[in-house]
């Protein structure tokens, strides 16, 4: 007797579709973790389920093309899945075919860990931020390196130190930038902020005055994270939670310092040109 297969019903078709969507989304998340995640940080999938394959392509910075490119997996998977202990996977730039990125990982039922990569995690720091941070750049590099090696507590501690060092400079920059255009009330508000606000409040206050409104609104969550860094909020947090906090506040931190420094430089250049003109 021929085996009768079960005819597909609506429920089965829907769940297969949903399963595919979930796989795609989780595989993308895994890809982002491969590219940006810290070493030895555990990556877990949603709902206690798992995908079985690494992504076929990744978006990575190519040092040959000097921009973000699609990298394609070159290593052929062996077996029906990519699970294993200390396994490696290699991707190649689809555009120039000249640059490779390799990862070493361990993947089992408990989760996924990136345990090595070459070239190393990118520590490229925006030249504008480098200038804005001055001597604190050394601390910032250590913060980024700590983050990339999974030392989240170390990363936020370095960041906290920079914030403490830089906040008064930030307030000075803001004063130089706005003082002449401020009303008496705004000047009083500034003095009050300078004397009584905590570090994170000062940065938030300065950022609100200097960042484009949209960037500021988007950064709301970053200020909560920033506040955690400079208050006692991080004392009870795990390495992973600290990495997450670092990533969240890093964006707003970088933007604020860059923009203020940029304004200051432009104004100084303008003043210099004006002086030259008057001669
Ligand atoms: Zn390339």
């Amino acid at each position: 007797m021929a085996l009768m297969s079960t005819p597909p019903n609506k429920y089965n078709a829907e769940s297969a579709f949903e399963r595919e969507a979930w796989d795609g989304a989780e595989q993308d998340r895994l890809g982002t973790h491969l590219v940006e995640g810290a070493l030895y940080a555990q990556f877990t999938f949603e709902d206690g389920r798992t995908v079985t394959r690494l992504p076929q392509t990744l978006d990575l910075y190519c040092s040959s093309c000097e921009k973000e490119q699609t990298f394609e997996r070159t290593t052929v998977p062996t077996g029906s899945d990519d699970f294993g202990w200390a396994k490696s996977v290699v991707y190649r730039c689809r555009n120039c075919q000249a640059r490779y990125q390799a990862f070493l990982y361990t993947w089992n039922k408990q989760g996924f860990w990136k345990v090595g990569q070459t070239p190393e995690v990118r520590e490229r720091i925006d030249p504008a931020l480098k200038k804005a941070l001055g001597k604190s750049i050394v601390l910032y590099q250590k913060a980024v390196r700590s983050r990339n090696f999974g030392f989240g507590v170390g990363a936020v501690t370095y960041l906290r130190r920079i914030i403490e060092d830089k906040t008064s400079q930030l307030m000075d920059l803001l004063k130089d930038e706005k003082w002449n255009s401020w009303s008496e009330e705004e000047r009083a508000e500034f003095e009050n902020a300078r004397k009584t606000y905590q570090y994170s409040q000062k940065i938030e206050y300065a950022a609100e005055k200097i960042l484009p409104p949209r960037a500021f609104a988007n950064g709301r969550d970053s200020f909560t994270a920033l506040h955690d860094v400079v208050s006692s909020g991080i004392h009870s947090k795990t390495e992973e939670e600290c990495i997450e906090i670092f990533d969240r506040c890093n964006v707003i931190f970088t933007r604020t310092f860059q923009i203020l420094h940029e304004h200051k430089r432009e104004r100084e250049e303008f003043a210099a040109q004006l002086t030259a003109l008057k001669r």
Side-chain angles (χ1 to χ4, degrees):
M1 194 182 98
L3 261 168
M4 291 274 289
S5 63
T6 321
N9 62 37
K10 190 171 174 290
Y11 177 77
N12 279 340
E14 254 181 15
S15 52
F17 176 75
E18 278 168 8
R19 173 82 213 192
E20 209 169 292
W22 184 90
D23 274 6
E26 285 301 286
Q27 210 176 39
D28 285 351
R29 227 162 55 79
L30 178 61
T32 306
H33 177 77
L34 261 185
V35 176
E36 297 172 2
L39 294 179
Y40 309 114
Q42 184 178 13
F43 175 89
T44 48
F45 296 93
E46 301 279 336
D47 311 331
R49 293 149 75 186
T50 186
V51 299
T52 55
R53 287 278 182 215
L54 290 164
Q56 193 54 35
T57 60
L58 293 177
D59 292 332
L60 280 162
Y61 180 82
C62 174
S63 58
S64 171
C65 302
E66 293 188 334
K67 62 175 187 168
E68 196 109 331
Q69 295 285 18
T70 301
F71 277 58
E72 196 141 10
R73 180 175 182 170
T74 62
T75 39
V76 182
T78 52
S80 58
D81 57 54
D82 287 325
F83 298 149
W85 182 80
K87 288 185 82 172
S88 65
V89 62
V90 179
Y91 291 84
R92 178 174 57 192
C93 175
R94 194 187 260 172
N95 185 52
C96 67
Q97 307 268 316
R99 286 287 177 269
Y100 292 83
Q101 176 72 55
F103 299 102
L104 201 64
Y105 69 89
T106 286
W107 192 358
N108 58 32
K109 283 199 181 98
Q110 278 75 47
F112 179 97
W113 291 261
K114 177 169 76 169
V115 297
Q117 75 174 82
T118 183
E120 64 194 54
V121 186
R122 201 154 62 97
E123 288 175 15
R124 192 183 158 276
I125 293 164
D126 195 298
L129 180 65
K130 224 178 237 182
K131 278 196 195 122
L133 285 177
K135 285 179 187 159
S136 298
I137 190 68
V138 182
L139 292 173
Y140 187 72
Q141 279 163 338
K142 287 181 184 174
V144 174
R145 194 165 304 156
S146 301
R147 181 248 176 249
N148 288 344
F149 278 91
F151 307 136
V153 178
V156 293
T157 308
Y158 281 120
L159 196 65
R160 178 191 177 120
R161 178 64 187 276
I162 301 167
I163 291 166
E164 287 171 358
D165 288 352
K166 283 281 164 189
T167 305
S168 55
Q169 266 185 43
L170 185 74
M171 293 297 278
D172 289 346
L173 282 173
L174 175 69
K175 190 179 175 182
D176 288 351
E177 170 85 16
K178 300 277 182 186
W179 190 261
N180 290 335
S181 63
W182 275 341
S183 66
E184 277 307 313
E185 216 169 73
E186 285 168 318
R187 289 178 183 182
E189 190 197 358
F190 174 84
E191 288 302 339
N192 180 46
R194 201 164 59 84
K195 284 182 196 138
T196 65
Y197 283 11
Q198 293 172 347
Y199 293 114
S200 58
Q201 290 175 310
K202 280 183 187 170
I203 294 185
E204 184 167 359
Y205 164 83
E208 191 184 11
K209 304 244 174 294
I210 213 87
L211 291 182
R214 208 165 56 90
F216 183 79
N218 292 344
R220 267 284 156 218
D221 168 66
S222 314
F223 284 109
T224 315
L226 201 62
H227 182 77
D228 277 352
V229 169
V230 287
S231 69
S232 57
I234 58 164
H235 282 178
S236 54
K237 301 278 198 287
T238 64
E239 298 278 21
E240 279 85 7
E241 285 167 336
C242 284
I243 288 171
E244 202 226 318
I245 289 173
F246 179 82
D247 287 349
R248 270 162 57 213
C249 69
N250 198 22
V251 180
I252 207 79
F253 172 83
T254 306
R255 270 231 62 203
T256 311
F257 276 95
Q258 268 176 354
I259 288 180
L260 266 178
H261 185 76
E262 222 22 54
H263 277 258
K264 185 174 180 260
R265 198 183 52 77
E266 272 172 22
R267 231 190 32 258
E268 280 168 359
E269 271 177 21
F270 180 69
Q273 282 167 0
L274 215 60
T275 316
L277 218 63
K278 280 178 189 161
R279 274 184 198 149

